[in-house]
Amino acid sequence: MADEAPFQFLHSELIQYIYKSADTEDTENGRNISKLENLGCRVGQGLIERLTKDAPRFKDELDIMKFICKDFWTCLFKKQIDNLRTNHQGIYVLQDSQFRLLSHLSAGKQYLDYAPKYLAFTCGLVRGALSNLGLRSVVTAEISDMPACKFQVLIQKM
Amino acid sequence: MSRQSNRTTDSKKMNSELFTLTYGALVTQLCKDYENDEEVNKQLDKMGYNIGVRLIEDFLARSTIGRCQDFRETADVIAKVAFKMYLGITPSVTNWSPAGDEFSLILENNPLADFVELPDNHNTLIYSNLLCGVLRGALEMVQMAVDVKFAQDTLRGDNVTEIRMKFIKRIEENLPAGEE
């Protein structure tokens, strides 16, 4: 495919659909987020399988995270993660200063409340990718200043 | 460094897989949420419509294509420009009706259905029905009412995937109420 517009539109339709199909609004919010996240997770698993088909084995956890930040992110959003930080104890913070899926929302504070649902699917993508690389994780996202956002990856020791 | 170079993949292709897989996840979710395939088809069409009415703006802004003179030109633009731009394929346009108001798009490979196999209990599911909605929605925004449906689908055992499009009428520009 030559273009990312279809994916962007499909992604927002997906959010629309998940939110509309819920019965009540407030209490369901958490469940909608996790529904979106689970959908993303499945997609992430499929993608990483295709992407690492011919790749050599990874050295360690950090190597995997670097792969997520560079290759995986480039495939998804045509750019790399701008900043990767870690405490070397299983917590990684991935910072994207120009997150694609927020790019069509106003950069001000106006839509800050709506932004989390645009990140849930991507959190799932990362979690799914990691899970197929043998890492169990919890991925959350926070938005400080649109369209910049941070994904926090917490690797769970098995 | 040599390791890195081994890993580079065609990012364009990957991006299309992201779309395909996301679409698959959506259909799966719909099949879970609705009892029968008819409802899923309807929902996919509706979502496609919502996408179409927005996608047409992106398309017109980027392709610098003006108003089409007739339905044949519309067919060409859809197949050669729009499908190429968004899905990376060029369907062939065939089976014109004598009146020139109906034609078929033949898709050799359907990017939405790349990794898909339909289970037996979903034999009335029109997997790629989103496309019909997209086409209908987009054309409606350029004043064309069109009927779009899948006539054949390789997923359901046909030899080709065929989208049948029928021109219904030109939509008149509505004046706001009270203005003549």
Side-chain angles (χ1 to χ4, degrees):
Chain A
M1 177 175 336
D3 204 82
E4 63 176 333
F7 172 70
Q8 291 231 359
F9 285 124
L10 185 68
H11 179 253
S12 36
E13 273 309 305
L14 191 63
I15 294 168
Q16 281 286 325
Y17 168 71
I18 295 285
Y19 270 79
K20 232 189 290 172
S21 66
D23 308 325
T24 50
E25 274 166 30
D26 277 350
T27 49
E28 294 283 323
N29 195 12
R31 223 171 69 200
N32 289 335
I33 294 281
S34 66
K35 239 187 198 173
L36 282 171
E37 213 238 344
N38 283 334
L39 286 176
C41 180
R42 184 65 200 85
V43 174
Q45 286 180 325
L47 277 176
I48 203 77
E49 228 169 68
R50 310 273 305 165
L51 185 58
T52 54
K53 205 171 42 171
D54 305 312
R57 186 172 276 276
F58 293 99
K59 277 197 305 255
D60 52 19
E61 204 176 278
L62 188 64
D63 201 25
I64 293 180
M65 289 312 294
K66 279 187 189 158
F67 179 79
I68 296 285
C69 293
K70 283 188 181 158
D71 301 63
F72 189 61
W73 217 258
T74 311
C75 285
L76 299 179
F77 305 116
K78 302 207 175 108
K79 72 185 283 289
Q80 296 184 5
I81 280 285
D82 295 300
N83 192 343
L84 169 66
R85 287 158 189 263
T86 174
N87 67 350
H88 295 288
Q89 283 169 5
I91 297 180
Y92 297 84
V93 177
L94 287 64
Q95 202 174 343
D96 191 334
S97 57
Q98 203 83 56
F99 187 54
R100 276 297 155 99
L101 297 176
L102 292 176
S103 62
H104 52 263
L105 267 71
S106 154
K109 296 214 182 302
Q110 194 180 2
Y111 295 110
L112 212 54
D113 296 345
Y114 296 92
K117 58 183 180 186
Y118 285 89
L119 301 174
F121 187 78
T122 310
C123 288
L125 286 176
V126 175
R127 179 164 68 91
L130 288 174
S131 89
N132 266 21
L133 294 173
L135 293 177
R136 199 141 53 120
S137 59
V138 175
V139 183
T140 49
E142 64 177 278
I143 308 138
S144 31
D145 187 18
M146 297 241 264
C149 69
K150 284 179 191 163
F151 294 91
Q152 197 188 59
V153 181
L154 188 75
I155 306 286
Q156 314 219 288
K157 296 281 171 258
M158 286 196 237
Chain B
M1 283 317 280
S2 62
R3 284 186 64 162
Q4 284 302 326
S5 60
N6 284 343
R7 280 193 201 138
T8 46
T9 6
D10 184 1
S11 77
K12 267 186 185 162
K13 190 157 173 301
M14 271 306 291
N15 201 274
S16 109
E17 286 173 4
L18 171 65
F19 180 69
T20 306
L21 290 169
T22 306
Y23 185 69
L26 168 69
V27 179
T28 314
Q29 181 68 39
L30 288 172
C31 287
K32 265 187 223 159
D33 291 353
Y34 291 100
E35 300 260 307
N36 63 47
D37 293 348
E38 285 305 313
E39 285 294 315
V40 176
N41 295 341
K42 218 184 280 174
Q43 188 64 38
L44 283 172
D45 182 80
K46 204 163 93 189
M47 295 170 94
Y49 178 84
N50 293 342
I51 293 176
V53 296
R54 298 167 72 191
L55 198 62
I56 185 72
E57 299 196 5
D58 181 79
F59 177 73
L60 292 177
R62 287 168 43 189
S63 64
T64 64
I65 282 175
R67 199 168 276 277
C68 289
Q69 295 307 317
D70 57 16
F71 204 41
R72 281 181 189 270
E73 195 185 336
T74 311
D76 270 351
V77 170
I78 290 171
K80 297 200 182 110
V81 190
F83 265 84
K84 178 97 193 130
M85 185 155 142
Y86 291 119
L87 295 176
I89 53 168
T90 312
S92 47
V93 180
T94 53
N95 293 344
W96 277 99
S97 66
D101 64 344
E102 242 184 283
F103 69 90
S104 293
L105 291 169
I106 307 286
L107 282 68
E108 248 127 67
N109 47 355
N110 177 1
L112 286 184
D114 261 349
F115 317 112
V116 182
E117 233 175 86
L118 285 188
D120 291 337
N121 57 345
H122 282 296
N123 48 20
T124 50
L125 176 72
I126 309 171
Y127 184 83
S128 314
N129 210 27
L130 187 94
L131 285 181
C132 294
V134 172
L135 288 166
R136 190 165 57 85
L139 289 174
E140 197 171 302
M141 291 298 115
V142 289
Q143 277 83 45
M144 267 187 248
V146 179
D147 181 55
V148 190
K149 56 175 182 281
F150 273 89
Q152 297 186 73
D153 193 344
T154 44
L155 284 179
R156 286 183 293 163
D158 298 317
N159 288 326
V160 287
T161 300
E162 175 184 353
I163 301 176
R164 190 80 183 147
M165 304 197 38
K166 183 182 191 326
F167 180 81
I168 303 171
K169 62 166 184 173
R170 179 160 289 278
I171 301 167
E172 300 298 329
E173 311 244 0
N174 283 334
L175 287 171
E179 277 178 47
E180 283 300 325

